[in-house]
Amino acid sequence: MSKKYLIWDLPLRIFHWLFALTIAGSWYTSEHSSDFIEYHMLLGYFALGLLVFRISWGLVGPKHARFSQFIPSFKTLINYLTCIKQNKKHYSPGHNPLGALMVILMIVLITLQAVSGLFINDDVFSSGPYYGSIAPEIEKIMSFLHHNLFDIMIVSIILHLSAITYYWKIKKENLILPMITGKKNVNEINESDAISSSRIPLAISIVIAAIFFVYWLVILNAPIIEEFY
Ligand code: HEM
Ligand code: HEM
């Protein structure tokens, strides 16, 4: 059996699969919003917590989780595109430069989607915790974003899945297994690019801080809006 090196830390892998499930659940509950709006909002808070974790992890997490490690410069991107054009192999132990841009796009879009949800209502009984607390014009923008960004998000998720299928079927590189086990084969990466640990204690501290932050945001800090019947 060939030797394998750890590339994706455990917290990042747990984040990824929870994130995918949460977004799928948010979509499903929004499609049946009259029955599931409460669950939709709970999933939205969970997505916010995951995003707070991932953004913090992108600053202090292990090597391949860090934004500074994978956000590509223009030169790296061009170099990568040239390799693809010439059908040459590009060495990317973590996210490849194009994949990295897609990762950032998905994180930004989903952050905007979840944050805008805090300010809107469903015209029936349910409102985000900050509905009614901002100027009506800004509320309209939030509602516009929440109702329209999702389509762009779907496109980016489809591109994400297509890229993974392309790597699997055409380039014969399975990216899914490393996102489950965390490990890549010795012939795919250099030993110096392996990470030595998943930094679990640090991840647990960030998870606790993220839970407190979301609790503060949606419960403690949410304004109490007077309702008139
Ligand atoms: C709603 C669905 C999904 C969303 C929003 C999503 C989002 C993401 C994000 C944000 C990352 C970057 C991970 C990080 O650095 O934190 C990522 C990576 C990845 N995702 Fe997904 N994902 C989704 C579904 C899936 C599914 C269904 C699969 C597998 C069939 C998958 C396979 C992967 C793989 C293999 C990577 C690593 C790519 C690489 O090697 O650069 N994703 N995804
Ligand atoms: C990742 C997070 C989220 C996703 C992907 C998401 C997605 C969606 C989608 C696709 C819709 C249907 C829009 C339409 O019918 O055009 C929707 C509706 C809605 N969402 Fe979210 N949402 C998220 C987070 C939130 C949060 C955090 C809240 C509030 C706490 C929220 C509150 C609502 C409400 C109240 C509606 C109903 C709007 C209406 O019926 O006009 N959402 N959401």
Side-chain angles (χ1 to χ4, degrees):
M1 219 171 72
S2 75
K3 203 172 167 193
K4 292 184 172 225
Y5 294 128
L6 187 63
I7 284 290
W8 302 122
D9 56 85
L10 181 64
L12 183 137
R13 285 177 275 145
I14 296 178
F15 158 81
H16 176 265
W17 296 112
L18 284 180
F19 199 49
L21 286 176
T22 309
I23 301 311
S26 304
W27 171 74
Y28 181 81
T29 51
S30 73
E31 288 289 300
H32 305 82
S33 66
S34 49
D35 298 325
F36 294 131
I37 190 71
E38 297 298 324
Y39 295 109
H40 178 75
M41 286 166 49
L42 284 175
L43 283 168
Y45 300 148
F46 191 66
L48 273 174
L50 287 173
L51 286 161
V52 172
F53 169 80
R54 183 60 186 96
I55 292 166
S56 316
W57 205 233
L59 302 174
V60 298
K63 189 171 177 186
H64 303 290
R66 288 198 188 208
F67 299 131
S68 59
Q69 182 69 30
F70 67 79
I71 295 181
S73 65
F74 187 65
K75 203 174 144 207
T76 318
L77 195 61
I78 296 297
N79 184 11
Y80 175 72
L81 292 175
T82 315
C83 282
I84 291 202
K85 211 172 144 203
Q86 295 171 350
N87 215 4
K88 277 197 217 145
K89 204 166 161 57
H90 183 272
Y91 178 66
S92 324
H95 297 306
N96 68 53
L98 207 55
L101 288 186
M102 194 47 85
V103 168
I104 298 299
L105 180 70
M106 284 193 287
I107 291 178
V108 169
L109 285 176
I110 299 173
T111 303
L112 285 173
Q113 183 78 28
V115 170
S116 60
L118 301 175
F119 297 91
I120 67 167
N121 87 337
D122 66 352
D123 297 326
V124 196
F125 300 116
S126 304
S127 318
Y130 290 84
Y131 174 70
S133 69
I134 48 169
E137 305 82 62
I138 304 186
E139 217 157 64
K140 269 194 197 140
I141 297 175
M142 294 295 178
S143 179
F144 176 83
L145 288 178
H146 206 79
H147 287 95
N148 293 287
L149 274 183
F150 195 71
D151 295 340
I152 309 177
M153 229 168 81
I154 297 271
V155 174
S156 67
I157 292 170
I158 291 173
L159 285 175
H160 173 57
L161 298 179
S162 313
I164 287 158
T165 314
Y166 165 79
Y167 263 84
W168 189 11
K169 296 286 173 203
I170 311 286
K171 301 199 96 181
K172 307 286 175 217
E173 195 178 334
N174 183 344
L175 300 177
I176 303 172
L177 201 60
M179 224 349 130
I180 297 170
T181 62
K183 293 181 176 163
K184 286 195 180 178
N185 279 325
V186 69
N187 57 353
E188 286 169 320
I189 66 155
N190 300 332
E191 188 172 3
S192 57
D193 282 317
I195 55 169
S196 56
S197 101
S198 280
R199 302 203 192 156
I200 304 290
L202 179 63
I204 292 174
S205 327
I206 297 177
V207 167
I208 294 170
I211 293 171
F212 272 107
F213 175 74
V214 174
Y215 183 72
W216 170 84
L217 185 73
V218 302
I219 307 281
L220 299 181
N221 190 55
I224 297 165
I225 311 290
E226 299 278 347
E227 294 201 33
F228 300 99
Y229 294 97

